[in-house]
Structures are given as C-alpha cells and as structure tokens.
Amino acid sequence: VTTAGAAGDGSDLRIPIGISAHHVHLCRGHVEKLFGIGHQLTPLKQLDQPGQFACRECVDLMGPRGQVKNVRILGPERRRTQVEISRTEEFALGIDAPIRNSGDLDGSPGLTLVGSSGRVEISEGVICAKRHIHMTPADARHFGVDPGEHVLVKASGQGRELIFGDVVVRVSHDYVLEMHLDTDEANAGELFSDSWGQLVRLAK
Ligand SMILES: [Zn+2]
C-alpha cells in the first residue's frame, strides 16, 4: 500500500473531510404537513456543496424504540423525503437502515417525523449514507478515478489512523472536493471538520 503521489509525500492526493450529522431532506408535501400550508424552508447556513443549505427548521424522529430530537432539515426541497442517520441512531430509534447512496430509497424503512405544525409517517426513506467523495471532473482526472468507482481513503486522526474502504466517487461540475462521513465514521477515526483524508493507491 502506498499513498505517494508525484510529490512523494501524498500531499497531492489530499481530500478535505466533511462530517454529516443526522439530517432530513423534505419533499414539498411534507414541508407543508410538518410546518404549515405554504411554508418555505428558511436557509440558516450555506453548506460546502454549492446550492445546499442547512435550514432553521428541525424535526424530531420517532422510531419503534425511541426518538432523536432536533434533527436539522437540509435544503433545497427534494422530490422524495430522505432521512440520513448514523448506526448509533438506528439503535436508539429501533430501525435497521441500509447503507445507501443518497436518493436510493426503495425498500428502506420508514419512521415518524414530528414538526412544529404536524407529523408525517413515511413508509420508506431512512438510510445510513454510504461514505463518498464529491469531486469535479477535473478532480477525477487528477486522482485518476472514475464516477461510481470505489476507493480507499486513509484518514489520520489523532492516534486513530483509519483506512476507509467502500468510498464511492461522485463526480459533478456542481461539486466541491470533499469526502463525506457520518458522525459514527468520524468518531471511529477521531476526525473533525478540519481533518483531511488521502487517497490510497494499492500497489498493482
Ligand atoms: Zn455528500
């Protein structure tokens, strides 16, 4: 295993790490059921990926075993409601959510969302996000990877160095280079929002 790039120290293969806490994407109909007819989500903070933003609105998640309170809504609205939680939260809720790419929701479990003006029971849409790297086509050429490819990324946390496998590469002109991990993954590697990962090249 080597992480050496052209510079020899691997610095040209560095990838910023972004940590995604539990969050919810809502469809228009569910925004209105949870927050009132005609309600528009209120942007609170722009996220690193262009066009994505955290909202002022939060919901409580209720599962068969327990609940997770004050879960942030991320905008803009989507065609289908999607709940992204960590394995730890799956245990708290009593739900076994599959590891999925964003938007791949068929056959996933549901739960109940509670907002300030109402509640919604969804029959599916709860996933544990598959770890991934957002990058532009130019980044993909730089790293020598293809869209949809699975790669290894070494993260050097404080005394908890970890190599993540099954990291899917997602390529779009609209993306900014960033590897997204959930809170369980970040905690396992002692990683924070200013941490970096490094693409690992397997010796052929
Ligand atoms: Zn992401």
Side-chain angles (χ1 to χ4, degrees):
V1 173
T2 173
T3 53
D9 61 356
S11 60
D12 59 333
L13 297 176
R14 293 215 306 177
I15 300 166
I17 289 174
I19 301 165
S20 300
H22 55 214
H23 62 271
V24 175
H25 303 279
L26 291 175
C27 67
R28 174 93 288 258
H30 290 165
V31 169
E32 296 202 328
K33 278 191 175 142
L34 293 165
F35 301 106
I37 302 295
H39 184 87
Q40 295 294 330
L41 294 171
T42 315
L44 182 68
K45 178 174 176 283
Q46 296 302 311
L47 302 178
D48 289 332
Q49 297 305 317
Q52 305 297 304
F53 54 91
C55 301
R56 196 169 295 282
E57 291 83 357
C58 290
V59 290
D60 295 339
L61 308 179
M62 292 179 54
R65 184 186 298 152
Q67 47 184 307
V68 176
K69 297 179 98 64
N70 293 317
V71 177
R72 187 68 60 190
I73 307 297
L74 299 190
E77 290 170 2
R78 293 198 181 182
R79 197 175 58 78
R80 293 174 78 182
T81 290
Q82 173 172 314
V83 177
E84 297 180 44
I85 55 176
S86 70
R87 194 70 178 136
T88 298
E89 290 149 356
E90 291 175 43
F91 290 127
L93 291 162
I95 288 174
D96 185 12
I99 306 291
R100 292 280 182 87
N101 290 320
S102 184
D104 180 12
L105 306 179
D106 290 348
S108 61
L111 47 57
T112 300
L113 309 174
V114 182
S116 56
S117 297
R119 63 174 57 201
V120 169
E121 194 174 323
I122 57 172
S123 58
E124 62 182 12
V126 184
I127 61 170
C128 184
K130 186 178 178 79
R131 48 188 173 240
H132 56 275
I133 308 171
H134 296 270
M135 63 171 72
T136 65
D139 292 325
R141 282 193 296 277
H142 170 73
F143 287 108
V145 296
D146 294 317
E149 184 176 345
H150 288 76
V151 298
L152 302 176
V153 176
K154 183 175 90 171
S156 302
Q158 306 259 330
R160 281 191 133 181
E161 181 180 280
L162 194 57
I163 293 178
F164 290 100
D166 291 323
V167 184
V168 66
V169 172
R170 292 168 55 184
V171 178
S172 168
H173 287 285
D174 297 331
Y175 287 155
V176 166
L177 181 64
E178 191 176 35
M179 175 177 175
H180 277 168
L181 299 175
D182 76 10
T183 45
D184 279 357
E185 293 168 322
N187 290 342
E190 198 72 6
L191 301 169
F192 301 93
S193 54
D194 61 348
S195 298
W196 294 73
Q198 208 170 298
L199 197 74
V200 175
R201 301 237 180 265
L202 289 177
K204 295 242 167 73

